[in-house]
Amino acid sequence: MGSLTLSGRTALVTGAGRGIGRAIAIRLAGEGALVTVHYGRNTKAADEVVTAIRAAGGSAFALRAELGEPGDVEALWDGYDRQVVEHTDDTGLDILVNNAGINVRCAIGDTSPETFDEMFAVNVRAPFFVAQRALERMRDGGRIVNVSSGAARMAFPEITAYSMTKGAIDTFSRTLAQALGPRGITVNSVSPGIVDTDINAAWLRGDEEVRQAAAEVSALGRIGRPEDVADVVAFLTSDAARWVTGQVIDASGGSRL
């Protein structure tokens, strides 16, 4: 049976300063990985994640690069190459988690071309090219996990463009898994449902009736926690998931079954 232990492995988690990304970074570090805590703007939040990981005996460092902007991928990997050698012997990579994303809640009639392009730049283009450049560094037998969304299979008209970006991510995972199979690299999507994070705070935390309705979407009757998703990602990045690739793993608590 495979182990979840990630000792000796190097991971990069995008959007790891808050929410699901934060939980993933802490979980992977807890299994022994050296974790690159990528963030876009909030230095304080990323530093807090690194501090929490180190306080628990793990290894991590923060890396800033604003995805969706010109030169974003180059800035990310240049920073990675420069910083990772301060913590390990080389610039190799074992685990990439494409978690960073944005969601602007707007129905199709209210979606501007600018908003549409911004979501695709951050949610689709950035993961594609981050992964492309990661492959130069990734060791055979590595792991790529793309954080998708239950919105890719469930109809939410108020987030049409966002849902489209996550559908693209699922296709990306499947086709990249086929391409990288000969190297023993697995690629999967993890599909959360409604999770209590900052990105959902505006509509989820203000009204108890709204919160109850959100909880009832799940068959398990509650809103998801970041750790619920992080545990699934930890499995997929481990040896225990060596025979799982090209899949969309639902981590939504059975939402809208």
Side-chain angles (χ1 to χ4, degrees), residues 75-97:
L76 185 150
W77 288 115
D78 288 349
Y80 174 84
D81 290 343
R82 188 169 57 252
Q83 292 181 241
V84 73
V85 292
E86 299 174 8
H87 304 271
T88 189
D89 294 336
D90 58 44
T91 58
L93 182 73
D94 301 289
I95 297 165
L96 170 65
V97 181

Side-chain angles (χ1 to χ4, degrees), residues 189-242:
S189 287
V190 171
S191 180
I194 299 172
V195 181
D196 193 355
T197 63
D198 290 347
I199 198 172
N200 291 323
W203 67 277
L204 194 56
R205 298 178 184 172
D207 187 312
E208 188 55 38
E209 288 187 9
V210 170
R211 192 171 179 84
Q212 182 59 36
E216 291 172 359
V217 171
S218 163
L220 298 176
R222 68 169 173 83
I223 295 168
R225 296 184 290 265
E227 293 75 17
D228 296 327
V229 183
D231 286 348
V232 177
V233 173
F235 164 71
L236 289 173
T237 60
S238 73
D239 289 342
R242 62 195 176 279

Side-chain angles (χ1 to χ4, degrees), residues 141-191:
R143 301 284 188 264
I144 298 175
V145 178
N146 298 312
V147 177
S148 179
S149 171
R153 71 169 175 84
M154 297 180 280
F156 292 99
E158 66 274 20
I159 52 171
T160 299
Y162 172 79
S163 302
M164 291 170 65
T165 69
K166 295 306 184 178
I169 282 295
D170 291 345
T171 299
F172 179 46
S173 294
R174 184 167 57 251
T175 54
L176 191 60
Q178 181 68 39
L180 299 182
R183 290 183 56 188
I185 296 172
T186 67
V187 187
N188 294 285
S189 287
V190 171
S191 180

Side-chain angles (χ1 to χ4, degrees), residues 57-76:
S59 300
F61 63 92
L63 173 62
R64 183 182 187 279
E66 191 164 346
L67 299 179
E69 300 292 327
D72 54 355
V73 174
E74 291 76 10
L76 185 150

